[in-house]
Amino acid sequence: MNPRGTAASAVLGAVLRHGPVSRTTIARLTGLSPAAVTRNCAALAGLGLLTDVAGALPYRGVGRPHSPVDVETGRHLVAGIHIAHEHCTLALLDLRGRVRARVRVPHRDPGDHRDVLATAADRLVRLHAEHLPGHVPLGLGVAAGGWVDTEAGVLVEHASLGWRDVPVRDLLAARTGLPVLVDSHARALARAEQLFGAAGHHESLVHLFVGNVVDAAIITGGGTHRGARSAAGGVAHLALGDPAIECPCGRHGCLEATASDRAWAWRAYEAGVVSRPSITDLGDAAVAGNAAATALLVDRARIVGRAAALLFDIVNPDVVVVTELGVTRLPECADALRAEVATTSRACPSPSAVLPSSFGLDVLGVAAGAVQLDAIYADPLDLRNPIRLGV
């Protein structure tokens, strides 16, 4: 990244975290000179990323009041597609990472990746036209579980869908005309937590995602660890599950085979707790006060806690963030998760270092949009690039 891009990123990040904020305060927060802050604010405003805020900030000193700037949320947006086992979640987000519109589109044929992606792209265009036609899309972010090669824009392997070596970026760019970036949902959410969530002041974190796919992401020194083949974070086959359960990989006791949404929903269905194997139904039942549903989700939270404890001990991050239905929706599950980590981990400093996802029901939309937003905040002046603009 060029030096000016680094300065622009620092300025935009400071405004994201503290805005509306004066240029003088930005200089203090970033260590940049007032002239550099003024220059970069002007460049970012010219790209539609910053805006002056009407009226001055409260000011009790002498001299001219400070003129604040803030992130511009009324001009641009990013689009997102999250690819899950049964459906795609489509979302439109503003530049503060807030979901402004969202819809879920079931797969007609989950095994046909071309149909899934074309259907999602076409419905996304309609979502934009219906809800935010006056906002200009800066790009499309795509997030999925499994092994994602970010540089190539390829979904290398999505075990539950049976997809292998799918050129997601090229297919969606051709269908939408937008610049497309692709990443794993765990990595995208880890960066979203730093940009927009509760982990914004932490330089290192691990994000553990438990859905139909179970995977993780590692951030150290402020940077995402991807590995030599972009495969870092593969925790699905950790031997932390039920040894009686056979995994499709041929082994027994794999974490994903035991604790994934599909596996746990079937467990609840076979126990008679829900009338169909649906993790959503199980969560709804628990929230409504069904004791058996709550107990099942607490049991899963304890298994997830063992995985989180292991990640704490291997990586030694500041925090571990967990995205899992029970932990997100039920205090009992969050408590069980923290208690398991505290009992099992040697490195976890305190229960407060275990955080639930910051994004609630919007988590999948945020994951997808964050793939683009991360790139924008990392090098905002790259928006001038004709390729970046999809020209």
Side-chain angles (χ1 to χ4, degrees), residues 59-86:
Y59 182 65
R60 294 183 176 86
V62 296
R64 188 174 66 181
H66 299 302
S67 176
V69 293
D70 204 355
V71 175
E72 171 63 84
T73 58
R75 180 173 171 183
H76 293 302
L77 57 81
V78 297
I81 297 176
H82 178 272
I83 303 167
H85 178 74
E86 297 177 345

Side-chain angles (χ1 to χ4, degrees), residues 80-160:
I81 297 176
H82 178 272
I83 303 167
H85 178 74
E86 297 177 345
H87 58 265
C88 285
T89 299
L90 317 180
L92 303 174
L93 291 80
D94 66 25
L95 297 188
R96 281 194 167 276
R98 298 175 297 208
V99 174
R100 302 286 300 277
R102 152 170 79 88
V103 67
R104 179 177 289 185
V105 179
H107 304 324
R108 292 182 294 200
D109 180 359
D112 185 346
H113 67 263
R114 291 184 178 274
D115 180 70
V116 168
L117 295 177
T119 300
D122 294 346
R123 184 65 183 88
L124 185 66
V125 171
R126 285 170 43 207
L127 186 71
H128 176 231
E130 292 165 358
H131 291 274
L132 294 164
H135 288 62
V136 178
L138 293 176
L140 169 60
V142 184
W147 181 359
V148 180
D149 185 335
T150 306
E151 292 298 320
V154 171
L155 183 49
V156 179
E157 182 180 32
H158 193 295
S160 73

Side-chain angles (χ1 to χ4, degrees), residues 89-339:
T89 299
L90 317 180
L92 303 174
L93 291 80
D94 66 25
L95 297 188
R96 281 194 167 276
R98 298 175 297 208
V99 174
R100 302 286 300 277
R102 152 170 79 88
V103 67
R104 179 177 289 185
V105 179
H107 304 324
R108 292 182 294 200
D109 180 359
D112 185 346
H113 67 263
R114 291 184 178 274
D115 180 70
V116 168
L117 295 177
T119 300
D122 294 346
R123 184 65 183 88
L124 185 66
V125 171
R126 285 170 43 207
L127 186 71
H128 176 231
E130 292 165 358
H131 291 274
L132 294 164
H135 288 62
V136 178
L138 293 176
L140 169 60
V142 184
W147 181 359
V148 180
D149 185 335
T150 306
E151 292 298 320
V154 171
L155 183 49
V156 179
E157 182 180 32
H158 193 295
S160 73
L161 284 171
W163 292 10
R164 295 187 67 88
D165 298 321
V166 177
V168 172
R169 181 182 63 200
D170 293 346
L171 290 172
L172 287 174
R175 192 82 179 191
T176 64
L178 292 171
V180 178
L181 296 174
V182 187
D183 207 344
S184 81
H185 54 207
R187 289 194 291 252
L189 284 169
R191 286 296 294 130
E193 290 288 347
Q194 287 190 310
L195 286 169
F196 317 112
H201 59 291
H202 293 294
E203 285 294 305
S204 66
L205 68 88
V206 169
H207 178 262
L208 178 60
F209 186 99
V210 181
N212 284 319
V213 173
V214 179
D215 50 14
I218 301 164
I219 294 180
T220 56
T224 304
H225 177 68
R226 299 180 181 279
R229 290 167 297 280
S230 203
V235 299
H237 300 286
L238 291 177
L240 297 171
D242 185 343
I245 296 177
E246 183 176 4
C247 178
C249 76
R251 292 178 290 183
H252 288 74
C254 293
L255 176 63
E256 185 173 284
T258 296
S260 72
D261 282 356
R262 286 187 300 151
W264 214 257
W266 272 103
R267 180 179 296 223
Y269 173 68
E270 291 171 348
V273 177
V274 290
S275 60
R276 57 176 182 163
S278 164
I279 196 69
T280 302
D281 288 2
L282 181 62
D284 290 344
V287 170
N290 184 310
T294 300
L296 272 174
L297 287 172
V298 166
D299 286 344
R300 182 165 84 154
R302 293 194 183 101
I303 296 172
V304 174
R306 292 200 291 272
L310 181 61
L311 290 169
F312 252 121
D313 291 350
I314 292 173
V315 181
N316 194 26
D318 294 331
V319 293
V320 167
V321 181
V322 176
T323 296
E324 187 270 338
L325 180 139
V327 173
T328 299
R329 300 188 67 183
L330 296 167
E332 299 95 324
C333 290
D335 291 343
L337 172 78
R338 291 189 174 105

